Amino acid sequence: MKVLVVGGGGREHALAWKLSQSPRVSSVHVAPGNGGTERDPRFANLPFTDIAWLRKWALEQKVALTVVGPEAPLAAGIVDEFRAAGLRVFGPTRAAAQLESSKAFSKAFMQRHGIPTAAYETFSDPAAAHAYVDRQGAPIVVKADGLAAGKGVVVAMTSAEAHEAIDFMLLDNGNALDVTHNEGGARVVIEEFLQGEEASFIVLCDGRNVAALATSQDHKRLLDGDQGPNTGGMGAYSPAPVVTPAVHARAMREVILPTIRGMEKDGIPYTGFLYAGLMIDAAGQVKTLEFNCRMGDPETQPILMRLKTDLFELLMAGTSGTLDQVELEWDRRTALGVVMAAAGYPLNPRKGDAITGIPDEAADAMVFHAGTSLKDGQLLTSGGRVLCVTTLADNVRLAQQRAYEVVHGISFAGAQWRRDIGHRGARG
């Protein structure tokens, strides 16, 4: 059977890689893909992102399953268009994707359905937003209402940082953060700063049933020790020790299931991947930081390294309403991914640097491509997050050791990476 993966990042490379392992999959096309998927004979890139073109192509090619990786096509309604054409597609509709595409929608939804989250206010008027920060003080969190590729959140440790973020997102219209605004123009959500440890809780939904994926923990800050600006993610590992069995049960009971039931009650049944970014405090209480309507990147890479269940069969169940009949099987080892980013990332990533030293795929190590392209046979950087070196080992420390061994063999000018990915798990 033919499969189409929509997107061109590390998450989509990992999805294509895992789907290609299914005995029922005859070919995997990636649109638009990247340099890594282009040079791998298991995949074929389609240099198009236009939804109407992809729908027409999928119909002509009799594609059995389409999987949508990134948020932008979901927010643009790709699932609605594919379904209207009778195509099988895994992902949320445009209306359901508002859980990610609009922070204001998401926060109002959580408040309405009693899902634990930080206290907040929404603003379109800069003066009112500045006045709110003056009243609340810092630390405080400022979020752009629209899509911003994981970069539209500023955790302001001082009031000055919060005021600057408001100006970026409202007065500058979010241009510095590549924010895609929703109808009505620029808005920000300003919410209380939560203390605790973050974890990524990702599940599959078929509209009614839920299957939880392995837990993971992302590293959002650019620099070691969780310092520097927020990024789309500098690395991740799975499982996340902070998600104990008790925390897992609480997250399902208090966050995931009320969300699925709430969406159904609101007339917007949710299908696809649902990512809940959780803050877990010292007492094991859980609050929802955000929802994403897709798998996380770079969490996808370690999670899929550990997944032993056939991903194609899993997603087919997700599009058939039969997720309750599937049992997920996981490699007991730890998977860890280290992101290698371009010079200047996150605000001004440089492109066009030659990449060398990427090793062949191994049973315990895989280099997933994100911001790469091929030009005259030469692999070049083409985005902010370039590669995610992902490894499997018996524990976090051994996975770190193996990952950094691979990282040190890869070279491109100005490469940035954190040297402490998995540090919380290693301490644990």
Side-chain angles (χ1 to χ4, degrees):
M1 293 188 179
K2 293 180 180 178
V3 174
L4 171 62
V5 176
V6 177
R11 166 185 48 230
E12 290 75 42
H13 189 183
L15 285 166
W17 170 79
K18 196 66 185 180
L19 285 162
S20 71
Q21 297 170 14
S22 172
R24 291 183 64 197
V25 172
S26 58
S27 65
V28 179
H29 287 76
V30 192
N34 55 46
T37 54
E38 184 176 349
R39 69 178 195 169
D40 191 320
R42 292 173 291 189
F43 319 124
N45 281 4
L46 296 173
F48 298 97
T49 56
D50 179 73
I51 291 173
W53 189 96
L54 291 173
R55 181 193 62 214
K56 181 173 180 289
W57 182 88
L59 282 168
E60 289 172 351
Q61 295 294 318
K62 296 182 171 56
V63 169
L65 174 69
T66 297
V67 186
V68 186
E71 61 274 26
L74 293 170
I78 187 172
V79 169
D80 308 70
E81 292 210 27
F82 272 51
R83 283 185 183 169
L87 291 161
R88 185 186 289 258
V89 56
F90 190 71
T93 61
R94 181 176 187 171
Q98 288 180 97
L99 277 178
E100 176 172 7
S101 65
S102 172
K103 295 288 190 293
F105 173 92
S106 177
K107 295 293 284 192
F109 172 85
M110 285 188 270
Q111 189 175 64
R112 190 165 63 251
H113 292 285
I115 296 161
T117 188
Y120 78 101
E121 293 286 347
T122 301
F123 301 92
S124 56
D125 175 27
H130 286 304
Y132 182 77
V133 167
D134 288 335
R135 290 196 304 273
Q136 298 296 322
I140 198 164
V141 181
V142 184
K143 297 180 175 180
D145 181 44
L147 296 176
K151 295 178 288 185
V153 177
V154 173
V155 181
M157 301 312 292
T158 66
S159 294
E161 288 179 315
H163 289 306
E164 182 182 45
I166 290 166
D167 288 342
F168 263 136
M169 295 177 191
L170 292 180
L171 297 179
D172 186 49
N173 274 324
N175 293 332
L177 298 171
D178 295 324
V179 176
T180 303
H181 297 301
N182 295 307
E183 290 181 14
R187 288 193 297 182
V188 293
V189 170
I190 304 178
E191 61 183 43
E192 69 171 316
F193 174 79
L194 298 177
Q195 296 275 12
E197 195 166 339
E198 290 187 43
S200 305
F201 201 95
I202 306 173
V203 301
L204 295 91
C205 313
D206 64 11
R208 177 169 288 274
N209 303 299
V210 175
L213 296 177
T215 61
S216 59
Q217 193 164 46
D218 186 13
H219 297 63
K220 285 289 186 192
R221 300 283 194 158
L222 179 68
L223 305 174
D224 290 1
D226 299 315
Q227 301 297 309
N230 261 357
T231 71
M234 293 300 291
Y237 68 109
S238 173
V242 68
V243 185
T244 63
V247 169
H248 192 285
R250 173 168 268 160
M252 289 293 290
R253 183 176 67 248
E254 297 179 5
V255 177
I256 300 299
L257 292 177
T259 299
I260 301 308
R261 303 291 174 259
M263 293 295 279
E264 192 175 22
K265 185 177 179 182
D266 290 353
I268 315 171
Y270 192 94
T271 58
F273 294 110
L274 178 65
Y275 169 127
L278 303 179
M279 181 66 80
I280 303 160
D281 70 15
Q285 302 286 331
V286 170
K287 285 193 176 180
T288 313
L289 295 170
E290 64 176 353
F291 285 119
N292 291 332
C293 295
R294 54 194 164 84
M295 287 193 79
D297 189 346
E299 294 97 331
T300 301
Q301 293 88 313
I303 288 172
L304 293 187
M305 283 284 281
R306 294 187 59 219
L307 181 65
K308 297 173 81 170
T309 304
D310 185 313
L311 181 61
F312 177 76
E313 300 294 353
L314 183 58
L315 299 184
M316 291 294 277
T319 55
S320 303
T322 56
L323 274 177
D324 56 330
Q325 299 173 28
V326 176
E327 220 171 288
L328 275 68
E329 188 180 356
W330 299 98
D331 193 309
R332 292 182 176 274
R333 290 176 292 175
T334 295
L336 183 142
V338 177
V339 168
M340 300 183 72
Y345 180 76
L347 288 180
N348 297 294
R350 192 170 71 204
K351 300 179 181 180
D353 290 312
I355 307 167
T356 59
I358 295 179
D360 292 336
E361 180 179 335
D364 66 342
M366 177 70 188
V367 180
F368 294 106
H369 292 237
T372 69
S373 62
L374 274 179
K375 186 175 182 182
D376 300 326
Q378 173 69 62
L379 193 66
L380 304 175
T381 63
S382 65
R385 290 183 296 168
V386 178
L387 304 167
C388 184
V389 175
T390 311
T391 57
L392 269 174
D394 288 333
N395 56 51
V396 175
R397 289 191 185 280
L398 289 174
Q400 285 176 325
Q401 184 179 326
R402 180 75 171 106
Y404 286 110
E405 175 185 293
V406 176
V407 166
H408 289 134
I410 299 172
S411 177
F412 56 91
Q416 302 183 75
W417 65 85
R418 280 183 55 161
R419 289 152 180 81
D420 65 346
I421 300 300
H423 63 88
R424 292 188 185 89
R427 282 203 312 268

Short mmCIF file of all heavy atoms in Angstrom, two decimals, residues 306-347:
data_model
loop_
_atom_site.label_atom_id
_atom_site.label_comp_id
_atom_site.label_asym_id
_atom_site.label_seq_id
_atom_site.Cartn_x
_atom_site.Cartn_y
_atom_site.Cartn_z
N ARG A 306 11.61 3.68 19.91
CA ARG A 306 11.21 2.68 20.91
C ARG A 306 9.96 1.88 20.51
O ARG A 306 9.70 0.82 21.09
CB ARG A 306 10.94 3.37 22.25
CG ARG A 306 12.16 3.98 22.92
CD ARG A 306 11.82 4.49 24.32
NE ARG A 306 11.33 3.41 25.15
CZ ARG A 306 10.33 3.54 26.02
NH1 ARG A 306 9.68 4.68 26.14
NH2 ARG A 306 9.97 2.51 26.76
N LEU A 307 9.19 2.38 19.56
CA LEU A 307 7.94 1.73 19.19
C LEU A 307 8.19 0.42 18.45
O LEU A 307 8.86 0.40 17.41
CB LEU A 307 7.09 2.66 18.32
CG LEU A 307 5.74 2.12 17.87
CD1 LEU A 307 4.81 1.91 19.06
CD2 LEU A 307 5.10 3.05 16.84
N LYS A 308 7.64 -0.66 18.96
CA LYS A 308 7.77 -1.97 18.32
C LYS A 308 6.51 -2.34 17.53
O LYS A 308 6.56 -3.18 16.65
CB LYS A 308 8.10 -3.04 19.37
CG LYS A 308 9.44 -2.79 20.07
CD LYS A 308 9.68 -3.76 21.20
CE LYS A 308 10.20 -5.10 20.73
NZ LYS A 308 10.65 -5.96 21.85
N THR A 309 5.39 -1.73 17.86
CA THR A 309 4.15 -1.97 17.13
C THR A 309 4.25 -1.40 15.71
O THR A 309 4.90 -0.38 15.49
CB THR A 309 2.98 -1.28 17.88
OG1 THR A 309 2.95 -1.76 19.22
CG2 THR A 309 1.64 -1.56 17.20
N ASP A 310 3.62 -2.06 14.76
CA ASP A 310 3.59 -1.61 13.37
C ASP A 310 2.84 -0.27 13.31
O ASP A 310 1.64 -0.19 13.59
CB ASP A 310 2.87 -2.67 12.53
CG ASP A 310 2.88 -2.36 11.04
OD1 ASP A 310 2.58 -1.21 10.67
OD2 ASP A 310 3.16 -3.29 10.25
N LEU A 311 3.53 0.82 12.94
CA LEU A 311 2.93 2.14 12.94
C LEU A 311 1.82 2.25 11.90
O LEU A 311 0.80 2.91 12.15
CB LEU A 311 4.00 3.21 12.69
CG LEU A 311 3.51 4.66 12.67
CD1 LEU A 311 2.88 5.05 14.01
CD2 LEU A 311 4.64 5.62 12.30
N PHE A 312 1.98 1.61 10.76
CA PHE A 312 0.94 1.65 9.73
C PHE A 312 -0.36 1.06 10.26
O PHE A 312 -1.43 1.65 10.12
CB PHE A 312 1.40 0.91 8.47
CG PHE A 312 0.36 0.84 7.39
CD1 PHE A 312 0.08 1.95 6.61
CD2 PHE A 312 -0.36 -0.33 7.16
CE1 PHE A 312 -0.88 1.90 5.60
CE2 PHE A 312 -1.32 -0.40 6.17
CZ PHE A 312 -1.58 0.72 5.39
N GLU A 313 -0.27 -0.09 10.91
CA GLU A 313 -1.47 -0.74 11.45
C GLU A 313 -2.09 0.13 12.55
O GLU A 313 -3.31 0.22 12.68
CB GLU A 313 -1.12 -2.13 12.02
CG GLU A 313 -0.55 -3.10 11.00
CD GLU A 313 -1.55 -3.50 9.92
OE1 GLU A 313 -2.74 -3.13 10.02
OE2 GLU A 313 -1.15 -4.19 8.97
N LEU A 314 -1.24 0.77 13.33
CA LEU A 314 -1.71 1.64 14.41
C LEU A 314 -2.50 2.82 13.86
O LEU A 314 -3.58 3.15 14.34
CB LEU A 314 -0.50 2.11 15.22
CG LEU A 314 -0.75 2.98 16.45
CD1 LEU A 314 -1.64 2.27 17.45
CD2 LEU A 314 0.58 3.34 17.10
N LEU A 315 -1.97 3.45 12.81
CA LEU A 315 -2.64 4.61 12.23
C LEU A 315 -3.89 4.21 11.44
O LEU A 315 -4.86 4.98 11.38
CB LEU A 315 -1.68 5.40 11.35
CG LEU A 315 -0.46 5.98 12.08
CD1 LEU A 315 0.38 6.83 11.13
CD2 LEU A 315 -0.86 6.79 13.30
N MET A 316 -3.87 3.03 10.86
CA MET A 316 -5.08 2.53 10.20
C MET A 316 -6.19 2.34 11.23
O MET A 316 -7.36 2.67 10.97
CB MET A 316 -4.79 1.22 9.47
CG MET A 316 -3.90 1.39 8.24
SD MET A 316 -4.66 2.35 6.89
CE MET A 316 -5.64 1.07 6.11
N ALA A 317 -5.84 1.84 12.41
CA ALA A 317 -6.83 1.72 13.49
C ALA A 317 -7.32 3.09 13.92
O ALA A 317 -8.51 3.29 14.21
CB ALA A 317 -6.23 0.97 14.68
N GLY A 318 -6.40 4.06 13.92
CA GLY A 318 -6.77 5.42 14.30
C GLY A 318 -7.72 6.08 13.34
O GLY A 318 -8.47 6.99 13.71
N THR A 319 -7.73 5.64 12.08
CA THR A 319 -8.65 6.19 11.08
C THR A 319 -9.89 5.31 10.91
O THR A 319 -10.75 5.62 10.09
CB THR A 319 -7.95 6.34 9.72
OG1 THR A 319 -7.38 5.09 9.33
CG2 THR A 319 -6.85 7.39 9.79
N SER A 320 -9.96 4.22 11.67
CA SER A 320 -11.10 3.30 11.57
C SER A 320 -11.95 3.29 12.84
O SER A 320 -12.95 2.56 12.90
CB SER A 320 -10.61 1.86 11.31
OG SER A 320 -9.83 1.80 10.15
N GLY A 321 -11.54 4.05 13.85
CA GLY A 321 -12.28 4.07 15.11
C GLY A 321 -12.07 2.84 15.95
O GLY A 321 -12.91 2.49 16.79
N THR A 322 -10.93 2.16 15.74
CA THR A 322 -10.70 0.88 16.45
C THR A 322 -9.42 0.91 17.31
O THR A 322 -8.79 -0.12 17.51
CB THR A 322 -10.62 -0.28 15.45
OG1 THR A 322 -9.59 -0.01 14.48
CG2 THR A 322 -11.95 -0.48 14.75
N LEU A 323 -9.04 2.08 17.79
CA LEU A 323 -7.83 2.15 18.62
C LEU A 323 -7.95 1.34 19.91
O LEU A 323 -6.93 0.93 20.48
CB LEU A 323 -7.51 3.61 18.97
CG LEU A 323 -6.69 4.40 17.95
CD1 LEU A 323 -6.52 5.83 18.41
CD2 LEU A 323 -5.32 3.75 17.71
N ASP A 324 -9.19 1.11 20.35
CA ASP A 324 -9.38 0.32 21.56
C ASP A 324 -9.01 -1.14 21.37
O ASP A 324 -8.88 -1.89 22.34
CB ASP A 324 -10.82 0.43 22.05
CG ASP A 324 -11.84 0.03 21.00
OD1 ASP A 324 -11.57 0.21 19.80
OD2 ASP A 324 -12.92 -0.46 21.38
N GLN A 325 -8.80 -1.55 20.11
CA GLN A 325 -8.45 -2.95 19.83
C GLN A 325 -6.95 -3.14 19.62
O GLN A 325 -6.50 -4.24 19.29
CB GLN A 325 -9.21 -3.41 18.59
CG GLN A 325 -10.73 -3.36 18.75
CD GLN A 325 -11.46 -3.66 17.45
OE1 GLN A 325 -10.95 -4.39 16.59
NE2 GLN A 325 -12.66 -3.12 17.30
N VAL A 326 -6.17 -2.08 19.79
CA VAL A 326 -4.73 -2.13 19.53
C VAL A 326 -3.95 -2.08 20.83
O VAL A 326 -4.27 -1.32 21.74
CB VAL A 326 -4.30 -0.95 18.63
CG1 VAL A 326 -2.79 -0.95 18.43
CG2 VAL A 326 -5.02 -0.99 17.30
N GLU A 327 -2.93 -2.92 20.92
CA GLU A 327 -2.04 -2.89 22.08
C GLU A 327 -0.66 -2.44 21.62
O GLU A 327 -0.08 -3.03 20.71
CB GLU A 327 -1.95 -4.28 22.73
CG GLU A 327 -1.96 -4.21 24.23
CD GLU A 327 -2.10 -5.58 24.88
OE1 GLU A 327 -3.21 -6.15 24.82
OE2 GLU A 327 -1.09 -6.07 25.41
N LEU A 328 -0.12 -1.42 22.25
CA LEU A 328 1.18 -0.89 21.85
C LEU A 328 2.29 -1.63 22.59
O LEU A 328 2.18 -1.91 23.78
CB LEU A 328 1.27 0.61 22.15
CG LEU A 328 0.70 1.54 21.07
CD1 LEU A 328 -0.81 1.39 20.98
CD2 LEU A 328 1.07 2.98 21.36
N GLU A 329 3.36 -1.92 21.85
CA GLU A 329 4.52 -2.61 22.43
C GLU A 329 5.74 -1.70 22.29
O GLU A 329 5.96 -1.11 21.23
CB GLU A 329 4.76 -3.93 21.71
CG GLU A 329 5.83 -4.79 22.37
CD GLU A 329 6.05 -6.11 21.64
OE1 GLU A 329 5.31 -6.40 20.66
OE2 GLU A 329 6.96 -6.85 22.05
N TRP A 330 6.54 -1.62 23.37
CA TRP A 330 7.66 -0.69 23.41
C TRP A 330 8.97 -1.39 23.74
O TRP A 330 8.99 -2.34 24.51
CB TRP A 330 7.42 0.39 24.47
CG TRP A 330 6.20 1.19 24.19
CD1 TRP A 330 4.95 1.02 24.72
CD2 TRP A 330 6.09 2.26 23.24
NE1 TRP A 330 4.08 1.93 24.17
CE2 TRP A 330 4.75 2.70 23.29
CE3 TRP A 330 7.00 2.90 22.40
CZ2 TRP A 330 4.29 3.75 22.49
CZ3 TRP A 330 6.54 3.95 21.62
CH2 TRP A 330 5.21 4.36 21.66
N ASP A 331 10.05 -0.92 23.14
CA ASP A 331 11.39 -1.33 23.53
C ASP A 331 11.63 -0.79 24.94
O ASP A 331 11.35 0.38 25.22
CB ASP A 331 12.42 -0.73 22.56
CG ASP A 331 13.79 -1.35 22.71
OD1 ASP A 331 14.31 -1.42 23.85
OD2 ASP A 331 14.38 -1.74 21.68
N ARG A 332 12.12 -1.63 25.83
CA ARG A 332 12.30 -1.21 27.23
C ARG A 332 13.47 -0.25 27.40
O ARG A 332 13.62 0.39 28.43
CB ARG A 332 12.52 -2.44 28.12
CG ARG A 332 11.28 -3.31 28.25
CD ARG A 332 11.53 -4.48 29.19
NE ARG A 332 10.31 -5.26 29.38
CZ ARG A 332 9.38 -4.98 30.29
NH1 ARG A 332 9.54 -3.92 31.08
NH2 ARG A 332 8.31 -5.73 30.41
N ARG A 333 14.32 -0.13 26.38
CA ARG A 333 15.49 0.74 26.49
C ARG A 333 15.11 2.21 26.41
O ARG A 333 14.00 2.57 26.05
CB ARG A 333 16.50 0.38 25.40
CG ARG A 333 17.17 -0.96 25.59
CD ARG A 333 18.07 -1.30 24.42
NE ARG A 333 17.31 -1.54 23.19
CZ ARG A 333 17.86 -1.76 22.00
NH1 ARG A 333 19.19 -1.74 21.88
NH2 ARG A 333 17.10 -1.98 20.95
N THR A 334 16.08 3.07 26.74
CA THR A 334 15.92 4.51 26.65
C THR A 334 16.33 4.98 25.26
O THR A 334 17.36 4.54 24.73
CB THR A 334 16.79 5.22 27.70
OG1 THR A 334 16.31 4.89 29.00
CG2 THR A 334 16.76 6.73 27.52
N ALA A 335 15.53 5.87 24.68
CA ALA A 335 15.91 6.52 23.43
C ALA A 335 16.15 7.99 23.72
O ALA A 335 15.43 8.61 24.50
CB ALA A 335 14.81 6.35 22.38
N LEU A 336 17.19 8.54 23.07
CA LEU A 336 17.56 9.94 23.31
C LEU A 336 17.96 10.59 22.01
O LEU A 336 18.70 10.01 21.21
CB LEU A 336 18.71 9.98 24.33
CG LEU A 336 19.21 11.35 24.79
CD1 LEU A 336 19.54 11.32 26.28
CD2 LEU A 336 20.44 11.79 24.00
N GLY A 337 17.44 11.81 21.78
CA GLY A 337 17.74 12.53 20.55
C GLY A 337 18.38 13.88 20.84
O GLY A 337 17.87 14.65 21.65
N VAL A 338 19.49 14.16 20.17
CA VAL A 338 20.19 15.44 20.30
C VAL A 338 20.05 16.21 19.00
O VAL A 338 20.43 15.71 17.93
CB VAL A 338 21.69 15.23 20.61
CG1 VAL A 338 22.43 16.57 20.67
CG2 VAL A 338 21.87 14.45 21.92
N VAL A 339 19.49 17.41 19.08
CA VAL A 339 19.31 18.25 17.89
C VAL A 339 20.59 19.02 17.61
O VAL A 339 21.18 19.62 18.51
CB VAL A 339 18.14 19.23 18.09
CG1 VAL A 339 18.13 20.30 17.00
CG2 VAL A 339 16.82 18.47 18.09
N MET A 340 21.02 18.98 16.35
CA MET A 340 22.11 19.82 15.87
C MET A 340 21.48 20.94 15.06
O MET A 340 20.82 20.70 14.05
CB MET A 340 23.09 19.00 15.03
CG MET A 340 23.73 17.85 15.78
SD MET A 340 24.96 16.95 14.79
CE MET A 340 26.30 18.17 14.72
N ALA A 341 21.68 22.18 15.53
CA ALA A 341 21.02 23.34 14.92
C ALA A 341 22.02 24.20 14.17
O ALA A 341 23.23 24.15 14.41
CB ALA A 341 20.33 24.16 16.00
N ALA A 342 21.49 25.00 13.26
CA ALA A 342 22.33 25.86 12.42
C ALA A 342 22.84 27.07 13.19
O ALA A 342 22.27 27.47 14.21
CB ALA A 342 21.50 26.35 11.22
N ALA A 343 23.91 27.64 12.71
CA ALA A 343 24.42 28.89 13.26
C ALA A 343 23.33 29.95 13.22
O ALA A 343 22.59 30.06 12.24
CB ALA A 343 25.63 29.37 12.45
N GLY A 344 23.19 30.71 14.31
CA GLY A 344 22.18 31.77 14.35
C GLY A 344 20.81 31.34 14.81
O GLY A 344 19.93 32.18 14.99
N TYR A 345 20.57 30.04 14.96
CA TYR A 345 19.27 29.56 15.44
C TYR A 345 19.08 30.00 16.89
O TYR A 345 20.04 30.02 17.63
CB TYR A 345 19.22 28.03 15.32
CG TYR A 345 17.93 27.40 15.78
CD1 TYR A 345 16.79 27.47 14.99
CD2 TYR A 345 17.84 26.75 17.01
CE1 TYR A 345 15.60 26.90 15.41
CE2 TYR A 345 16.66 26.18 17.44
CZ TYR A 345 15.54 26.26 16.64
OH TYR A 345 14.37 25.70 17.06
N PRO A 346 17.87 30.43 17.35
CA PRO A 346 16.59 30.31 16.67
C PRO A 346 16.14 31.52 15.84
O PRO A 346 15.23 31.39 15.03
CB PRO A 346 15.62 30.10 17.84
CG PRO A 346 16.23 30.86 18.97
CD PRO A 346 17.72 30.72 18.79
N LEU A 347 16.71 32.70 16.05
CA LEU A 347 16.16 33.89 15.39
C LEU A 347 16.64 34.08 13.95
O LEU A 347 15.86 34.47 13.08
CB LEU A 347 16.48 35.14 16.21
CG LEU A 347 15.70 35.29 17.52
CD1 LEU A 347 16.10 36.56 18.26
CD2 LEU A 347 14.18 35.28 17.28
#
